[in-house]
Amino acid sequence: MGMIGGGQDAFIGAIHRLAANMDGLIELSCGALSINPETAIASGRALFLPESRTYTSYEEMIKSEAALPSEERIDFVTIVTPNFAHFAPAMMALEHGFNVVIEKPITFSLEEAKLLQDKVNETGLTLCLTHTYSGYPMVKQAKAMVKEGKLGKIRKVWVEYPQGWLSRLSEREGNAQAAWRTDPKKSGKSSVMGDIGTHAAHLAEYITGSSITAVCAELNTLVDGRVMDDDGAVLLKFENGAKGVLMASQVAAGEENALKIRVYGENGGIEWLQHDPNSLIVKWLTEPTQILRAGSNYSHLSSFATHNCRTPGGHPEGYLEAFANIYRNFALTLQCKLQGTEPSPEMLDFPTVVDGVRGMAFIDNVVASSESDLKWTPFVV
Amino acid sequence: MGMIGGGQDAFIGAIHRLAANMDGLIELSCGALSINPETAIASGRALFLPESRTYTSYEEMIKSEAALPSEERIDFVTIVTPNFAHFAPAMMALEHGFNVVIEKPITFSLEEAKLLQDKVNETGLTLCLTHTYSGYPMVKQAKAMVKEGKLGKIRKVWVEYPQGWLSRLSEREGNAQAAWRTDPKKSGKSSVMGDIGTHAAHLAEYITGSSITAVCAELNTLVDGRVMDDDGAVLLKFENGAKGVLMASQVAAGEENALKIRVYGENGGIEWLQHDPNSLIVKWLTEPTQILRAGSNYSHLSSFATHNCRTPGGHPEGYLEAFANIYRNFALTLQCKLQGTEPSPEMLDFPTVVDGVRGMAFIDNVVASSESDLKWTPFVV
Amino acid sequence: MGMIGGGQDAFIGAIHRLAANMDGLIELSCGALSINPETAIASGRALFLPESRTYTSYEEMIKSEAALPSEERIDFVTIVTPNFAHFAPAMMALEHGFNVVIEKPITFSLEEAKLLQDKVNETGLTLCLTHTYSGYPMVKQAKAMVKEGKLGKIRKVWVEYPQGWLSRLSEREGNAQAAWRTDPKKSGKSSVMGDIGTHAAHLAEYITGSSITAVCAELNTLVDGRVMDDDGAVLLKFENGAKGVLMASQVAAGEENALKIRVYGENGGIEWLQHDPNSLIVKWLTEPTQILRAGSNYSHLSSFATHNCRTPGGHPEGYLEAFANIYRNFALTLQCKLQGTEPSPEMLDFPTVVDGVRGMAFIDNVVASSESDLKWTPFVV
Amino acid sequence: MGMIGGGQDAFIGAIHRLAANMDGLIELSCGALSINPETAIASGRALFLPESRTYTSYEEMIKSEAALPSEERIDFVTIVTPNFAHFAPAMMALEHGFNVVIEKPITFSLEEAKLLQDKVNETGLTLCLTHTYSGYPMVKQAKAMVKEGKLGKIRKVWVEYPQGWLSRLSEREGNAQAAWRTDPKKSGKSSVMGDIGTHAAHLAEYITGSSITAVCAELNTLVDGRVMDDDGAVLLKFENGAKGVLMASQVAAGEENALKIRVYGENGGIEWLQHDPNSLIVKWLTEPTQILRAGSNYSHLSSFATHNCRTPGGHPEGYLEAFANIYRNFALTLQCKLQGTEPSPEMLDFPTVVDGVRGMAFIDNVVASSESDLKWTPFVV
């Protein structure tokens, strides 16, 4: 693995490294860790990278690595730069034959995402998008239960993502994260939807197995002086006839990262909360509520859940493990490809460029709806 | 107290009697408990009513009671009939000098509600609407904290009311409750909003102390064959600039009565869930989350909360106690009026005809919005 | 009903009145509400008792009521005085033909309790002990599940009762409740076991349907200057071979009234917490955990649970309803006796003098064990 | 790092590798992964170990590694064999100058533990014991709050560890874990106390900062046919005057790994549950309960907590991260030693041979008490 971005002081780069390290399948071999050469070099040293493979630009890294003998060169690059700087290195990596991992949202614009999708299709390479939350085993369990028809026809989806960290004008108080996320030149068309709304939309489509077909959205800027939205709500229609509500806020003061989804069908509903990720609450119309638990040994767990657990029930796995599941499945898939074998459906169950394109389209459609006086905007990609 | 409706097999009438009984302030003295004379008489007997005050029509009851000497006659009537049969007895009771308690929604139509409001204003009598959920002490605590500015300026309201009891076409399977609630001739313009949406809207306005000024609504009928809506979502704008989302569903299979509200301001947010009504979760932007508990002896509790607790912390009070708080405050207010003293603000804190009018207007505005192609409908009363 | 004790400022008397009022089956007709005549009279007036039946001593009340014609006199007396003043009025009431309700613990000493038991057996009257917590529907559900063998052979019982209200030396700071409860002349041999430990022991025997046969106890006084114990732990052996641990503390600072019991058998376990009384958590060895809920309409609920619910699932019933269940079942049993019919097993399911004797024996045995250097003390009655 | 034990099919070895991998500070360089040579070799291959450093006995590994140049050889060995096979490799490693990590309990007998302690003292090497649960940040927060006197004088400790995995006679059904854990030749004097009771005792002493001075214990074998205990309860006295109860069970059917501790002082109490490890519930006598959360940015968190968090609040860290904290602090301490700098108190905060000796003494004292007819057994080391 070669990392682009993620130098000292960056947040998500360190998370990617923790996640990639976890299962002993992936090694950080090189990096272009910052656009600031000094930071790049210092960061490489701190991570025990050899000097020869500590690059000061992604272009240099991709070219140099591509020139190495195949058994020495990296298998993939990981892109953990701010949103506006995803596309160029991803495209260049694909063009030089490298598989790619990208932090979400996949790109700055829908157009860029589509270009990446074309390139992936053309090259046959694999692009993995780290929509962390669908990496949790109990989210996969929820998807499996919907797919198997346990809940009957799906009628209603409620997904919410409250955070409070932008409740003050932190972008003016030296918070670097807040600064780029609320800067339309770096973040994209919507801050709240780009940062967290796409996670919620991805989760809803992932679990229901159905696509959003129309949105009615309202984006708000609830902190005075902010130049981008920081809150929003979206009414949803799904392909399968279900209706939904998506709520995302970065100004829900006092909330941490309380992503939660509820999906109701004819026979019951499921509820999953990221703060208690090893439990899936399953409510039944005519039976007592059940709590399904990651790592348990009863027969209710789908192979998609158990494949993504490392420990027995009662040994909580968290955010890093969910993140690591994406890396692990991506790595197992690459391993199969290298060995010429067929990856299992469980291995292939990680977000790809297809999810990336839908995420960017979600942002575009929500912004368009929010600007419209009409209630419903058809979801176009 | 004289009861209109609430004979054997009715649900809410029994609840009203339990609530009215609880504090020993109110006695059931007479009733017109059913439009079916046999049921009326049998129900009166079961409730130990004297035969002479067991009436077979509300008209007879109101006239007969009004003819009694003032020290013998009832102080108020309680109306627990289906929605369509609220207005006539309420109006007649007011005209004959009786105070009135009505189960919500106050009437079948907004117009009727306004007529009642005029009559209340004209007579100076008291009309109490049993919006149960604002009778909980920790809801009152939430209101007090907002009012005192603890959360700062309010920015966002999320209120949800999931129930699952209409997940099947129960109205065709002999469920009497389901039958009248999904019958537009008995229930009103909207089933889901009349039955539970108004509770949610009331709670939001009650806690924030701010009025809804615009709605963007979608009502759905998610069970095939049903003739009224059974699910809905409403985006809200409030007078104070806050934005909101209201979600109500009777087809959230597996849910009981999970009314929940979250209100976020600049400094923090509050969360209250009816299933755990003695706790108020208070989240702070820069401090750890607190759990305020009904009946506790720390100084954080408002007099509006403590006035409505009967037991010390850790002795759970529930739905019937919340309901009884409304009756108790209404009775204490009447007592003061009779004694010529001024009721305390805590006593006066029960829903009245004003809330009833707003509830009916809420239903009308939501239905209008749901039928409109435009996103926002101004809230008109 | 005639009440002995429970005048103004008393805590538990008010609770008894609320509970007795609730279902409209019981009327407070007379009272000897205080040993202080002025308080007795003022309290009677506040409760709308007729002057003629507001007595200034229990002796006067029992004699006067016994002299009334049978259709006018009360059916039972309720004794809500401090522990040391339970026996005399109870015995006198039984001797005059009145049924009796007593707040627990039944008496000051085991010997007194046995005398009451003899008198009850002799007279055929009914004595009801208000061990509130076995009045909760989900506690009854737990008992039913154990009895039906759902959990298999019972192996382990953990019951705990943490309170924090005696964490300071409140008895020296004018807290009347604290003063009598920590006074050995008024409270009995043990404060913590008399006040709350007996509730825990009763719950354990009630749910398991098995008797404690040996104890290994340690009583502690953890607040300097206190003259009675305020904390304790007891290892338990049960008749059916199960082992148990009982923990009770009045100095668990910050705790309210967090009585909790867990019972494990071969196939699973149940968990019930008084702070969330409408849920019974059922854990299975080979199946996901279930949450059974009071008032639900699925078929898992025993008739003993449903008989004790007033409202549908999701309308929380609390401490007062549990208390009222005891009064209601007692009243229904008396009604059957008066009518010459057989009370149902569900009606008869309230604590009696038998539980009272076991409770007093529990206190005695725990105190004896605590004073012994030997590990185990056989449980003798 | 060189690993002894932990070959394919072993449970805890894989956990150690995940934990050691996580932070990129430690590399698995060699192993003697099984006493079965074929398994040892296959396991080494699966872990990408070089053949030359895949050993078939720990003796071979320690000797060979000690013979390598210092810059090539490992810094420490990790011992993840069953309990009976901890001592010999640990002693040999220390004698050859290697630091040591051992899975708990440290040895098979107290005597062995003391010998290791002597050797550690003699050599100045570092021995780290993986008592995972004190690696959680919110456990460290609890310890810090006690130490800072936030709770006042500590009065009461309740610690419980329910598991259900031995509810059946699994050791006869081919469960290898169950087989060795319930075999006195491999597990030690007590199964339940060796496996989980020591975790609970360590947690109690760690958080309170006080030592157990006397025990009153009962060990039970609750599954017919089992040859070791599978359940136990221990009353505790602490050096600081506090009293405690420790409960541990492997036959609490339906429980996963629900280690929980509550510590009460004069002013309040803390509660921590391993299933929700990122929350520390802090109850106050005169203030509302607070929920402190790992990774939060408010000022309430001790440096000992924040040092052990990798992600911001709301990104759950779990069992593997707690485990990794122990490895990370051990590695940082070794790093400082190598660099000749002083490790910070936060780095030094991992369990050592001292905790190992106390753990073994705990087992011995509990077994002695359980066999005694006297209530209290002084805790001797």
Side-chain angles (χ1 to χ4, degrees), chain B residues 29-40:
Chain B
S29 306
C30 67
L33 299 159
S34 174
I35 49 166
N36 177 322
E38 283 170 30
T39 307

Side-chain angles (χ1 to χ4, degrees), chain D residues 166-345:
Chain D
L166 288 179
S167 291
R168 294 196 176 151
L169 204 59
S170 317
E171 59 268 45
R172 306 273 177 85
E173 296 163 2
N175 182 325
Q177 275 288 318
W180 82 256
R181 291 232 182 249
T182 60
D183 176 352
K185 292 192 193 122
K186 296 189 175 162
S187 188
K189 286 188 185 173
S190 166
S191 167
V192 71
M193 290 298 153
D195 189 13
I196 61 177
T198 47
H199 275 309
H202 169 67
L203 207 61
E205 294 196 342
Y206 178 78
I207 289 179
T208 61
S210 185
S211 298
I212 296 166
T213 57
V215 295
C216 164
E218 190 210 15
L219 294 175
N220 302 302
T221 302
L222 296 178
V223 172
D224 292 341
R226 180 156 290 152
V227 297
M228 290 190 78
D229 55 60
D230 49 23
D231 174 89
V234 192
L235 306 183
L236 304 168
K237 293 184 183 176
F238 288 86
E239 203 173 14
N240 65 2
K243 303 299 175 68
V245 183
L246 182 152
M247 307 187 293
S249 187
Q250 297 166 314
V251 297
E255 296 287 359
E256 294 179 340
N257 196 41
L259 175 60
K260 177 174 170 177
I261 187 163
R262 285 170 284 181
V263 175
Y264 299 98
E266 294 164 309
N267 307 327
I270 59 91
E271 174 177 327
W272 180 82
L273 170 61
Q274 201 261 151
H275 284 192
D276 183 19
N278 297 291
S279 297
L280 180 70
I281 301 174
V282 187
K283 300 168 185 181
W284 299 108
L285 188 55
T286 58
E287 295 276 323
T289 291
Q290 290 181 310
I291 302 176
L292 271 59
R293 296 272 298 163
S296 292
N297 62 356
Y298 42 72
S299 59
H300 295 63
L301 292 188
S302 152
S303 64
F304 286 84
T306 55
H307 172 74
N308 289 282
C309 296
R310 288 162 189 79
T311 51
H315 299 77
E317 298 194 37
Y319 176 83
L320 295 174
E321 285 78 17
F323 216 119
N325 286 338
I326 294 177
Y327 266 100
R328 181 169 165 263
N329 286 328
F330 170 71
L332 291 171
T333 293
L334 290 196
Q335 220 170 51
C336 288
K337 280 183 151 185
L338 288 172
Q339 296 167 352
T341 61
E342 192 65 34
S344 70

Side-chain angles (χ1 to χ4, degrees), chain B residues 283-314:
Chain B
K283 300 169 184 178
W284 299 108
L285 188 56
T286 58
E287 295 275 323
T289 290
Q290 290 180 311
I291 302 176
L292 271 61
R293 296 271 298 163
S296 292
N297 62 357
Y298 41 72
S299 60
H300 295 63
L301 291 188
S302 152
S303 63
F304 286 85
T306 54
H307 171 74
N308 289 283
C309 295
R310 287 163 190 78
T311 51

Side-chain angles (χ1 to χ4, degrees), chain C residues 150-188:
Chain C
K150 294 277 168 65
L151 306 182
K153 189 169 176 296
I154 298 306
R155 289 171 172 163
K156 194 80 196 188
V157 177
W158 286 351
V159 60
E160 60 187 62
Y161 201 148
Q163 291 184 332
W165 72 291
L166 288 178
S167 291
R168 295 196 175 149
L169 205 59
S170 317
E171 58 268 44
R172 306 272 178 85
E173 296 162 2
N175 181 325
Q177 276 287 319
W180 81 255
R181 290 229 181 253
T182 61
D183 176 351
K185 292 191 194 123
K186 296 188 175 162
S187 190

Side-chain angles (χ1 to χ4, degrees), chain C residues 156 231 255 264 369 375, chain D residues 156 231 255 264 369 375:
Chain C
K156 194 80 196 188
D231 174 88
E255 296 286 0
Y264 298 99
S369 169
K375 193 183 284 171
Chain D
K156 193 81 196 186
D231 174 89
E255 296 287 359
Y264 299 98
S369 170
K375 194 183 282 171

Side-chain angles (χ1 to χ4, degrees), chain D residues 76-92:
Chain D
F76 69 94
V77 303
T78 286
I79 300 171
V80 293
T81 48
N83 304 355
F84 73 97
H86 284 184
F87 174 72
M91 184 55 88
M92 185 174 170

